[in-house]
Amino acid sequence: MPNQSADTLLQSFRNKVTRNIVWAGAITQLLLAGVQVWLVHYIQAAVLLAAAIVLAVIAYWYRSKRIPDVWRVIFMMLLTSICFASIRTNGAIGVYWAYPLLVASFFMFRDGFAIALASVVTIVMSAAALLYMPVSDGWRITASLLVILVLGSVFVVMLGRMQKLLHQLVVTDTLTGLQNRHRLNNVLSQLIHNFRRYHRPASLIMLDLDHFKLLNDKHGHLFGDQMLKQLAARLKATLRINDQLFRVGGEEFLVVMPETELEEAVKVAEKLRLAIANTPFDGKDAQAHLTISIGVAQLRAEQTWAEWINTADTALLEAKRKGRNQVCKAESYTPTA
């Protein structure tokens, strides 16, 4: 669990909520089938039992992965049809199932699709109430369903915005505004997939600010933070449009370069080094001349993303060992997939 990215954890939570709702639907239909048997309504019991089996199969089959949208739609259509039939047969008693069904629709899908689905459920249930119940009762039920629809829609919109905000906070470094380690797993895994399936090269640049501790000791940590922010901005301005920049440590940064072979990555790394070394940085109370040490590694056959990062980090350590303010590339590259 700790090694999973924020994206993976969030999607896993959503999948779990959806599965639990489907399981709850299956159990509810099974209980209702039992009640219908007790009331000697065997046809209704058979329909409810069949629905319970379908829902249980869906929940079990997709117990460890995402339930496809088509099965979610089938789930909602099935329950809506049963609820409609219940209102037609039982009148006011059947209406009670419309409310949890409407609420569940907000959890089965996200954003606009959830609102659209809830609107369809509201229309169908309102139509059933107006068709098979006294008009005065039907309008009251319609009004109450509309209130739930409006409140639920507001909840879905606000929840969606909150999730996006929380996700942004999780995957973003607060000091520099760059992506952090939480996104790195997914990004590197995708590049490895592209390399193994389509033979698309990719390279990493691992860089570290030289003598950052001495800078903090001399000018203070606030000054050091200013330097890191300026460093991130200068690196980002120098990189190509498809390159991705991550802050992976205190003064350590990682550049992910898709569709890039080793020699090309070395050229970009040298541009980064010169962009930092050739122009001083202006702090609030002082000016600083900074340099960076850089390690470059191209993805090798059968490497995991952790091994790939370690290769770039080894090249970075070599650059530091040789005196800093220079670029070192990982040797013994094997291009075959």
Side-chain angles (χ1 to χ4, degrees):
M1 184 71 71
N3 293 327
Q4 291 183 309
S5 69
D7 293 334
T8 303
L9 290 172
L10 181 58
Q11 187 59 54
S12 177
F13 174 75
R14 289 172 178 156
N15 294 345
K16 185 176 181 179
V17 169
T18 303
R19 285 194 302 273
N20 288 342
I21 291 176
V22 176
W23 274 120
I27 294 171
T28 300
Q29 298 307 312
L30 183 61
L31 294 175
L32 290 176
V35 172
Q36 293 302 318
V37 170
W38 181 66
L39 295 174
V40 199
H41 297 159
Y42 296 117
I43 295 179
Q44 293 93 321
V47 171
L48 292 171
L49 179 60
I53 293 173
V54 170
L55 298 180
V57 169
I58 293 173
Y60 180 78
W61 185 263
Y62 295 101
R63 61 189 180 279
S64 58
K65 51 187 174 181
R66 182 180 183 274
I67 298 177
D69 289 343
V70 62
W71 285 113
R72 300 182 190 215
V73 172
I74 290 174
F75 169 78
M76 293 304 303
M77 290 177 60
L78 187 60
L79 293 188
T80 301
S81 301
I82 292 173
C83 190
F84 186 95
S86 180
I87 293 175
R88 180 181 179 181
T89 303
N90 303 314
I93 297 176
V95 172
Y96 294 123
W97 298 107
Y99 298 102
L101 175 62
L102 179 56
V103 172
S105 64
F106 289 112
F107 291 92
M108 293 300 294
F109 295 92
R110 298 175 57 191
D111 304 329
F113 201 98
I115 296 174
L117 179 63
S119 299
V120 171
V121 172
T122 300
I123 292 171
V124 173
M125 294 300 99
S126 298
L130 292 170
L131 284 172
Y132 303 112
M133 296 178 63
V135 175
S136 58
D137 293 337
W139 281 112
R140 290 187 180 93
I141 291 167
T142 299
S144 63
L145 290 173
L146 286 173
V147 169
I148 295 176
L149 174 63
V150 172
L151 293 177
S153 299
V154 172
F155 169 77
V156 166
V157 171
M158 296 302 296
L159 182 62
R161 292 179 179 177
M162 186 178 298
Q163 286 181 338
K164 290 178 181 178
L165 177 60
L166 291 175
H167 181 264
Q168 189 66 23
L169 291 174
V170 168
V171 302
T172 302
D173 175 57
T174 55
L175 177 64
T176 62
L178 301 178
Q179 299 179 90
N180 60 25
R181 284 183 177 272
H182 288 285
R183 283 294 307 278
L184 194 56
N185 187 341
N186 282 357
V187 172
L188 296 184
S189 296
Q190 184 61 49
L191 290 180
I192 291 173
H193 169 77
N194 292 341
F195 172 70
R196 292 176 179 172
R197 184 166 184 177
Y198 306 111
H199 305 287
R200 295 174 181 171
S203 294
L204 293 181
I205 293 176
M206 182 76 77
L207 62 96
D208 191 78
L209 190 59
D210 295 329
H211 304 297
F212 185 64
K213 184 178 184 304
L214 296 177
L215 185 73
N216 278 335
D217 292 342
K218 182 178 180 180
H219 297 286
H221 290 282
L222 291 180
F223 184 87
D225 287 346
Q226 293 176 11
M227 296 300 100
L228 288 174
K229 291 173 66 175
Q230 292 184 42
L231 174 65
R234 196 175 296 186
L235 291 172
K236 195 171 183 180
T238 308
L239 289 171
R240 305 168 308 176
I241 190 170
N242 290 328
D243 299 332
Q244 295 191 57
L245 180 61
F246 296 81
R247 185 186 180 196
V248 294
E251 65 272 20
E252 197 170 47
F253 297 81
L254 183 71
V255 182
V256 179
M257 311 179 72
E259 309 287 345
T260 305
E261 295 187 352
L262 184 62
E263 294 306 321
E264 184 181 356
V266 170
K267 293 178 181 178
V268 175
E270 184 62 23
K271 288 182 180 179
L272 294 176
R273 188 190 68 80
L274 293 175
I276 303 306
N278 288 349
T279 306
F281 288 72
D282 294 318
K284 184 177 180 180
D285 302 314
Q287 191 177 73
H289 292 268
L290 305 180
T291 61
I292 54 176
S293 299
I294 303 177
V296 185
Q298 184 174 348
L299 179 61
R300 303 175 184 176
E302 303 306 322
Q303 266 188 330
T304 65
W305 63 265
E307 291 168 342
W308 187 15
I309 290 177
N310 186 62
T311 302
D313 194 46
T314 301
L316 169 61
L317 293 175
E318 181 65 13
K320 286 181 173 291
R321 189 187 67 81
K322 290 182 176 180
R324 295 182 169 83
N325 189 26
Q326 58 185 281
V327 177
C328 282
K329 62 181 179 181
E331 301 297 339
S332 303
Y333 169 65
T334 306
T336 56

